[in-house]
Amino acid sequence: QVQLVESGGGLVQAGGSLRLSCAASGDTMFISAMGWYRQAPGKERELVATITSGGSRNYADSMKGRFTISRDNAKNTLYLQLNSLNPEDTAVYYCNAKHTGRVYWGQGTQVTVSS
């Protein structure tokens, strides 16, 4: 079992930045890829970025250049740096982790960008 807890969300003005964190606990030894997804009101959950245990990153095209995913394996923590935010980035941001064939999700953290 893996538990994921996101933090760092909040209200920010357009053009601002936030850094999201996702702390993993439990059986973290066999976590492979981790990722960030987001879900805006009335929309489906969408990929933001993923990162493997070796550090290979993948971004959704619309996120490239503004968002940066990283992980600290020693701290079992995943990060997402959000820059140049705009109101369309308003959503609940979720982290997930792949572990021995299962996918675990956190409860999400709200990011609200005001114009």
Side-chain angles (χ1 to χ4, degrees):
Q1 293 277 354
V2 174
Q3 295 79 43
L4 302 171
V5 178
E6 299 97 333
S7 61
L11 175 63
V12 63
Q13 289 187 333
S17 299
L18 284 173
R19 189 192 195 203
L20 307 183
S21 299
C22 172
S25 62
D27 186 16
T28 61
M29 181 179 297
F30 300 106
I31 290 177
S32 55
M34 300 184 75
W36 287 98
Y37 292 72
R38 70 183 187 183
Q39 188 166 17
K43 296 186 177 181
E44 294 186 352
R45 191 172 297 188
E46 64 174 347
L47 169 72
V48 175
T50 61
I51 185 168
T52 67
S53 56
S56 295
R57 297 170 173 83
N58 178 62
Y59 295 91
D61 288 342
S62 61
M63 320 294 177
K64 290 180 181 177
R66 296 192 301 126
F67 297 172
T68 303
I69 190 171
S70 62
R71 66 191 284 179
D72 186 330
N73 292 328
K75 295 182 178 180
N76 294 316
T77 302
L78 178 72
Y79 303 99
L80 185 68
Q81 178 68 40
L82 308 172
N83 295 328
S84 302
L85 286 162
N86 59 63
E88 290 70 40
D89 296 315
T90 294
V92 178
Y93 285 70
Y94 299 90
C95 71
N96 78 359
K98 293 183 178 180
H99 179 283
T100 59
R102 295 186 62 179
V103 178
Y104 294 87
W105 291 89
Q107 83 290 346
T109 185
Q110 176 71 47
V111 172
T112 302
V113 185
S114 63
S115 58

